[in-house]
Amino acid sequence: EAGDVFGERALFKHSAQETSAIAYEHTELLMLREADYRQILRPVRMARFARKVAFLRSVPLFAHMRGDAVDRLAWATKKQRLRKGIVLATEGQEAESLFIIRKGACRVLKHNVELPSKIIEIA
């Protein structure tokens, strides 16, 4: 469907296709060849991407991942810069994102159920 993507491994490493793709109806698509991608974006973005992958591999939560799983996670993550005091998440609201601190620090707090007036600092 419109907006779907496949073949993204070709942009990051020389490797064989892991899947086959067949147009099952008249299809118009955009192709981006690895050489063009690297020529246009490599000097800045590929270096940043490599640093992001290396950082994610150092995070214990992702250390067990094999193959290109961490590469795919790196591709999906978005950098966000926050000023001091910005609230990222509020206890009781639906969790929508995983936060991975790259620089700086955050306080993670939880209300103490036994003593409602107390707050426990988790991290």
Side-chain angles (χ1 to χ4, degrees):
E1 295 188 3
D4 286 349
V5 176
F6 56 91
E8 60 273 11
R9 288 178 54 105
L11 300 181
F12 303 110
K13 51 179 103 169
H14 298 284
S15 61
Q17 285 289 128
E18 291 186 332
T19 59
S20 297
I22 301 168
Y24 64 91
E25 63 185 52
H26 293 296
T27 304
E28 179 180 315
L29 51 82
L30 302 174
M31 285 180 25
L32 179 59
R33 297 186 186 282
E34 177 188 13
D36 297 329
Y37 178 83
R38 290 184 186 279
Q39 181 179 356
I40 295 166
L41 301 177
R42 187 161 203 240
V44 176
R45 294 204 175 153
M46 289 305 289
R48 287 183 193 155
F49 180 77
R51 286 192 301 270
K52 190 190 291 189
V53 169
F55 170 73
L56 288 173
R57 289 187 192 285
S58 75
V59 174
L61 181 63
F62 307 122
H64 71 283
M65 292 185 169
R66 302 278 183 246
D68 68 345
V70 176
D71 291 5
R72 289 181 285 154
L73 282 173
W75 186 255
T77 60
K78 305 292 181 231
K79 180 168 61 174
Q80 191 170 16
R81 294 176 190 236
L82 304 170
R83 291 186 318 259
K84 181 179 178 178
I86 298 295
V87 176
L88 293 166
T90 303
E91 187 174 346
Q93 289 184 340
E94 183 177 350
E96 295 180 1
S97 298
L98 167 71
F99 301 99
I100 307 159
I101 300 171
R102 194 163 184 183
K103 294 179 186 175
C106 293
R107 292 178 68 200
V108 180
L109 310 169
K110 179 158 184 66
H111 285 94
N112 186 331
V113 178
E114 296 171 6
L115 299 167
S117 62
K118 300 261 182 181
I119 294 177
I120 303 167
E121 187 165 342
I122 298 173

